Amino acid sequence: MEVRVPRSSIIGVAAGLGIALLVGGAYFFGASNGASKASASQGSAPQATPTPTGPGPMYTLQDVVVNLADSNLRRYLKIGLSIEFNTDAAAFEKATPDERKAKQAAFDAALAPKVPLINDAIIGILSARTSADISTPEGKQKLKNDIKDALNRLLGGDQVSNVYFTQFVMQ
């Protein structure tokens, strides 16, 4: 009795094996190369402290509506944003969800006296922009950087690490 296997099945199995060998080889060579780089770098210089990968404490600004500085048009911007702080970011990264909530609550309490100053600075920056200033991706990025820089000047030091838009509507 002769068993016939369709040619397409053989080709599929061969292709699958070939892909598996390629992936396995790439992993093997990548892992061994990474290990040799790590062992080579251990003797040459001390390792820098890794920067936290998770977000630090956040302050979320309530949605704000401002008039834009367009001279001949009546344009509005409705924006929501969150500000990420460097303060205690490493501890936030390692914290459990419950610890993170407690740390965020303590951070919010410490930040509370400064919230009116933060809101005022942000509103001042937003209302000084024209619609053309913030209509491009580059303009939005510049706005984020300007807010970050202004808040760092206001609060002192390099406390603000990122500004995130949670809402951005221009009319």
Side-chain angles (χ1 to χ4, degrees), residues 60-158:
T60 301
L61 182 74
Q62 294 180 1
D63 291 348
V64 174
V65 178
V66 296
N67 294 320
L68 293 173
D70 292 296
S71 60
N72 57 350
L73 298 172
R74 191 170 223 151
R75 302 292 299 242
Y76 302 97
L77 174 66
K78 181 178 181 182
I79 191 168
L81 54 91
S82 290
I83 303 163
E84 180 184 358
F85 288 82
N86 288 323
T87 308
D88 210 20
F92 262 67
E93 180 182 19
K94 297 174 186 173
T96 65
D98 289 337
E99 292 169 338
R100 184 179 282 262
K101 284 180 186 176
K103 288 181 180 295
Q104 182 69 49
F107 177 79
D108 290 346
L111 189 65
K114 299 173 186 172
V115 167
L117 302 172
I118 292 170
N119 291 346
D120 181 64
I122 291 170
I123 290 170
I125 291 168
L126 296 173
S127 61
R129 303 299 163 118
T130 65
S131 57
D133 292 339
I134 57 176
S135 62
T136 65
E138 295 81 15
K140 289 177 180 69
Q141 186 60 49
K142 182 175 179 352
L143 179 60
K144 286 181 180 185
N145 291 337
D146 290 349
I147 291 171
K148 176 183 164 185
D149 293 343
L151 293 180
N152 279 329
R153 282 191 306 275
L154 175 72
L155 301 172
D158 193 25

